[in-house]
Amino acid sequence: MKYLVAILASCLLLSSPSYADYQRNKAVPVQQVLFGSVQSVRTITEQELVRDKTNGWETFGGALIGGVIGNQFGGGSGRTVATILGSMIGGSVAHNRQQNSHVIQYQLVELMIKVESGEQFMVVQDKDNQMLFNQGDKVRLVYLTDNTVRVDKAY
């Protein structure tokens, strides 16, 4: 039992969500780096509705319990009808129960950056409260080999 608990705990720790914030002691291959200045900054709030994926199991469970309860009534073909009605009612009640869903709110920042060559780039990335940008800030665009780009301040 202790072994099972240890495995479950380690799975939870390893499956924790990762965020776009900078992480210490992490080496990432870089494809290209461009230097420039911030022309404009805009904060964007984005919301995503996340629905609970276990709703089907709850409906099945409600139908199963309703069928068991319905099977307690009647006899012969009446018992069969009661079982079917109990399953339908139990499944419907479980399905119509308040659905488990929640809203995740993301804070993003949209940066318009003019690089040294004169080109302008717009980058949208997660807002990092440790690195806030203002118009005129000197920045670098770091192109990573996984086809993503990160913007940070050039010191």
Side-chain angles (χ1 to χ4, degrees), residues 116-144:
E116 292 172 337
S117 67
E119 293 179 278
Q120 290 190 339
F121 294 92
M122 180 179 291
V123 178
V124 177
Q125 67 182 24
D126 290 338
K127 183 178 180 181
D128 181 356
N129 289 326
Q130 302 299 318
M131 188 171 301
L132 300 175
F133 297 98
N134 296 305
Q135 185 174 2
D137 284 348
K138 299 296 181 195
V139 294
R140 62 182 178 178
L141 282 80
V142 181
Y143 289 87
L144 305 173

Side-chain angles (χ1 to χ4, degrees), residues 66-83:
V68 168
I69 292 172
N71 193 37
Q72 303 300 312
F73 300 101
S77 63
R79 176 175 278 184
T80 304
V81 170
T83 302

Side-chain angles (χ1 to χ4, degrees):
M1 183 67 178
K2 290 180 185 178
Y3 181 70
L4 181 61
V5 171
I7 289 175
L8 289 174
S10 63
C11 287
L12 287 174
L13 288 174
L14 294 175
S15 66
S16 64
S18 60
Y19 300 100
D21 292 338
Y22 291 93
Q23 298 174 359
R24 296 180 67 188
N25 304 325
K26 183 178 179 183
V28 181
V30 174
Q31 186 177 14
Q32 179 183 13
V33 177
L34 298 175
F35 291 89
S37 62
V38 175
Q39 300 298 302
S40 67
V41 180
R42 185 171 72 130
T43 303
I44 302 170
T45 302
E46 187 174 289
Q47 294 182 348
E48 178 182 348
L49 179 65
V50 179
R51 296 189 184 266
D52 186 10
K53 293 181 172 59
T54 62
N55 192 27
W57 287 105
E58 291 173 359
T59 303
F60 175 74
L64 184 65
I65 291 171
V68 168
I69 292 172
N71 193 37
Q72 303 300 312
F73 300 101
S77 63
R79 176 175 278 184
T80 304
V81 170
T83 302
I84 291 171
L85 284 175
S87 295
M88 291 173 52
I89 292 170
S92 177
V93 168
H95 180 73
N96 291 333
R97 188 178 68 91
Q98 181 181 359
Q99 301 223 355
N100 294 333
S101 61
H102 58 279
V103 175
I104 296 176
Q105 189 168 350
Y106 297 103
Q107 293 290 322
L108 306 171
V109 61
E110 176 190 87
L111 302 168
M112 178 64 75
I113 300 168
K114 186 174 187 178
V115 295
E116 292 172 337
S117 67
E119 293 179 278
Q120 290 190 339
F121 294 92
M122 180 179 291
V123 178
V124 177
Q125 67 182 24
D126 290 338
K127 183 178 180 181
D128 181 356
N129 289 326
Q130 302 299 318
M131 188 171 301
L132 300 175
F133 297 98
N134 296 305
Q135 185 174 2
D137 284 348
K138 299 296 181 195
V139 294
R140 62 182 178 178
L141 282 80
V142 181
Y143 289 87
L144 305 173
T145 57
D146 64 353
N147 294 325
T148 60
V149 65
R150 296 170 82 166
V151 177
D152 62 6
K153 292 188 178 183
Y155 296 104

